[in-house]
Amino acid sequence: MASGETHSVENQQRRWLNLRKLLERSGPFSHPDFEPSAEILDFIMDSCKVLIVGAGGLGCELLKDLALMGFKKLHVVDMDTIELSNLNRQFLFRKNDIGLSKAKCAVEFVNKRVPGCEAVAHHCSIQDLDEGFYRQFHIVVCGLDSIVARRWLNGMLMSLLQYNDDRSLDQSSVIPFVDGGTEGFKGNARVILPGMSACIECTLDLYPPQKTFPLCTIANTPRLPEHCIEYVKVLQWAKENPWGSSTPIDGDDPQHVTWVFEKAQDRAIKHGISNVTYRLTQGVLKNIIPAVASTNAAIAACCATEVFKLASSCCTNMNNYMVMNIADGVYTYTFNAERKPDCVACSNTTRVVELEPDATLQTIYDKLCEDPAFMMKSPGITTVINGRNKTLYMSSIKSIEERTRDNFKKENNRIGFIQWR
Amino acid sequence: MASPSPKSPEQSEKTKQYDRQLRLWGDHGQTALEHGHICLINANALGTEILKSIVLPGVGAITIVDDKIVSDEDIGSNFFLECSSKSLNRGAEALRLLLELNPAVRGHAVQEPPDQILKENPEFFKSFSVVIATALGEKTIQELAQHLWDINVPLILCRSVGFLGSFRIQMREHAVIETHPDNEQTDLRLDVPFQALSDYLNCFDIDAVDLKDHGHIPWIVIIYKAVQKWQSQNANGWPMSRKEKNEIKNIILEFVRKDENDVPISEENFEEAIRAVNTALVPTFLPVKIQELLYCTSATNLSKDSAPFWVMCAALRGFVEGEGKGKLPVKGVLPDMTASTDHYIKLQNLYRTQAAMDAEIVYRKVLQIVAQLHCENISEADVKLFCRHAHDLYLLCGSNIVTEYQLNSSVATFISRHLEEPDVMMVHYIMLRAAEMFQSEHCRAPGDWDPEGDISKLKACVTKVLSDVSCSPFPKDDHIHEMCRYGGAEIHSVSAFLGGCTAQEAIKLITKQYKPVNNTFIFDAASTNSATFAF
């Protein structure tokens, strides 16, 4: 019998004594709604469902932190499997676990270590899960390394918002969203109340632009070792197809990396460029972002504290965005990231887009995808004709996609777009 | 199908495992870490969270000093204890579960109270790279701090109470060569070009090259030429003011080629040149901080026992006073810029060659000093690295925790100045100190089981600390109430945050890379604010 099951109620009470002090006592800085009681811990343990998105550097920490903050109804979603280079920080995994699902492995470990924890793993991508899945959670906390995935999740939580007839927000449809991110010794943590405070889309400009090299530099005037590697990656590989024409570069295949490394080195030598190394080659090929245990631990802990505050009201939440840098001393700065009044994701306001009368639906679709003001990923397009909603295009559901595909070629005035918002 | 070369020898199992951190502190940083030995006193949640982020990246060894028995509360807040750990020694159990994280790390558990070790076997602490202590009483803190100060072993003292936490680093001095500044200054020497550079720049004729090559001239050349033209009208001065820099920008605009309709042709390199004017024209100078470093006593009064850092500082001073003509060695780093491969590589090689020559001079001076004083040998690679980073060298001079605890006049003035501001983070510091005083007087944390009843007793401690720093009592009791609410509770997520930060500080001390906190960090998880104070 597992030792957890033999734990008496009294032991349980003692075990959570640290948390109970915060939850069963009032404090001058707690949330105005806070009423200390033993029931809050019951809610955290038995009712409060929290979704952890990502079981990597931040996700492992979040799962451990939340399990030790009393949460039992935890769900973890991650599509990745464990790699050797994860082990310097993703502390729930061992060498024997390489190749296994991160979500499953992490959940198994924590459920075993923290008796009573009932975490559930979902080894799939966030896009595989539908509205019904996301709607069941009280809080979503996210530790992803991709802006695209974050924006998708943001969009999902925004789409769950309901508005009353007077266009005011139905508060019960709000699922608080805590988001953390790290890069080397830098990190950030934030609290998003969808429809109420700044969301991911409101603050997109806080993400640094991705570093890219112009093609003409790579092809004609290489100066840096990175330029030589990019040349092999972008041009030479496709030309020489060392593993056959259908084989793309795999940054995890040591033979591929070595091939690129050696060709890049040849090019570098030819141009008098130094310092093409294997490590750099792999870094450029895989766009590797440095990562260390400490930063992930601190940022995840910060997110976990905010989840605990949201669930218990025992303290007011961070308002609402913290940045941290531990390269030069330890620096943190917390500020109020402001909402964009006309944010496409969270503002429930209309945006005017001007189009030629003979523009096709394709034009609208492309604009929504490519215009920096929207940058949508596979948007659905609907219109209202005679007071009824009509779907013009939707890519996410196969049958609808097939049915509406032909609309793309049609001009807007022919598919009922006499006026549209 | 081609079957290209075998697996690269560069990628051992270990470099793959540590790849993401090697990109931050390099193989040499990793080697230093693997030679490090950390001692932790008290394996509470904060303690194990710190060790977790030191064991994962692969420290050499850890030693846990803990004589306590695992309680239910420990299990509830500490991930590195399990239910079956109950009633066993806390340090030994935590060690067992921590070592599972990384088989390369060695570990020991010592089941004695730290006071006893200090009394009976003070030599014990001598071999550690860093000692980290949590949850110690006032008296032990001071005895331990004094001892470690005396034997020159760094100490990090940590606390986690409710939503509050802090750590304090004590060490005599800490020199950092690789500080990894976020925005490193360029070192182009356009105002004082070395011979090879001025030869190269002077033989360039911007107007003579054809249009294609015109777009490939590095901006360094463009700015240099613009300055030369400007100087011919300005008595060979150096453009310093905003107005003068704008004049340079206008000259650069004149350089831009025009098409047949007299419209300027867009050339990336000229646009880069205009953007670079402000930074590229900063005159080459010896930074004040580096000057202070080169002329401080440790660098001027060398002995046989001087650390390599000080020997290199002395050699560097010799260079600055002699061959360098008041300047530091050339960094030898050229930022990327639009240019043909030829132009860029030539220019880059000029800087690199000069940097190597400068470093070579410094190295010869190092050899002389080492031979004279019979001190520790220093490799040429170390001197090169030192010269490469000579502009960003950093020295942290520490202070003794005992003087902080005794609140002597300079510490008192420092505290009261912050309280007057008013700085709420200093209020948190006072609360942590008062809670510690309460603990030593009453043998329990304030509010442990009677939050209301302890308020007046804690208030007395706060008043005592405040009067010691000549400050009047706080106008409101809210922070005292909050501390009594905490009742000494250790909240896991607060400890995990501090654990991550503290672990990185220990790694900075061991690898001697990146700048550590000087010297006290306070964190309030309730407001998500932090502050650094130098006591």
Side-chain angles (χ1 to χ4, degrees), chain B residues 202-316:
Chain B
N202 285 327
C203 74
F204 238 101
D205 185 353
I206 291 191
D207 294 326
V209 293
D210 65 31
L211 183 62
K212 183 169 168 279
D213 212 26
H214 200 254
H216 284 155
I217 303 169
W219 62 248
I220 291 190
V221 178
I222 298 169
I223 291 180
Y224 184 77
K225 294 291 176 187
V227 171
Q228 274 190 329
K229 194 164 177 189
W230 182 88
Q231 282 176 328
S232 66
Q233 300 149 8
N234 289 278
N236 289 326
W238 186 256
M240 296 290 281
S241 67
R242 178 193 283 263
K243 179 178 155 280
E244 290 164 337
K245 284 177 181 168
N246 283 336
E247 287 165 8
I248 298 291
K249 288 180 191 172
N250 287 330
I251 296 174
I252 295 173
L253 285 173
E254 286 166 25
F255 288 159
V256 175
R257 293 275 166 95
K258 317 277 190 307
D259 65 11
E260 60 275 15
N261 300 320
D262 212 32
V263 177
I265 298 168
S266 161
E267 290 178 300
E268 187 116 8
N269 52 336
F270 284 85
E271 285 161 22
E272 283 178 8
I274 286 171
R275 282 199 298 272
V277 161
N278 286 328
T279 50
L281 293 181
V282 175
T284 310
F285 66 101
L286 177 65
V288 178
K289 288 213 157 143
I290 305 301
Q291 186 172 10
E292 284 168 7
L293 197 61
L294 300 189
Y295 289 92
C296 78
T297 330
S298 305
T300 52
N301 268 349
L302 291 182
S303 74
K304 157 174 157 305
D305 300 319
S306 290
F309 179 81
W310 293 117
V311 173
M312 290 192 281
C313 280
L316 186 61

Side-chain angles (χ1 to χ4, degrees), chain B residues 335-453:
Chain B
D336 187 34
M337 58 191 70
T338 298
S340 67
T341 305
D342 252 15
H343 289 326
Y344 182 83
I345 299 296
K346 231 175 245 163
L347 206 45
Q348 186 181 49
N349 284 338
L350 289 177
Y351 281 103
R352 283 187 181 172
T353 309
Q354 189 61 39
M357 278 158 51
D358 289 355
E360 168 71 27
I361 296 169
V362 177
Y363 179 57
R364 268 188 272 127
K365 292 182 193 291
V366 166
L367 287 182
Q368 269 174 16
I369 299 170
V370 169
Q372 258 171 30
L373 299 174
H374 306 287
C375 42
E376 195 183 325
N377 277 325
I378 302 170
S379 76
E380 187 169 1
D382 285 346
V383 177
K384 266 195 169 157
L385 188 77
F386 181 84
C387 291
R388 159 71 184 85
H389 298 288
H391 290 78
D392 296 301
L393 299 174
Y394 177 71
L395 180 73
L396 197 160
C397 293
S399 66
N400 189 330
I401 287 177
V402 178
T403 49
E404 178 193 332
Y405 266 70
Q406 290 167 351
L407 297 172
N408 70 14
S409 65
S410 68
V411 173
T413 316
F414 178 79
I415 292 173
S416 63
R417 212 179 59 221
H418 279 278
L419 287 176
E420 280 159 21
E421 259 177 46
D423 183 345
V424 69
M425 297 312 287
M426 189 55 92
V427 174
H428 293 316
Y429 171 80
I430 299 290
M431 292 313 305
L432 288 166
R433 285 290 300 270
E436 227 164 53
M437 187 188 282
F438 183 104
Q439 175 99 35
S440 62
E441 283 176 13
H442 304 280
C443 296
R444 61 182 155 83
D448 194 1
W449 41 267
D450 181 12
E452 297 298 319

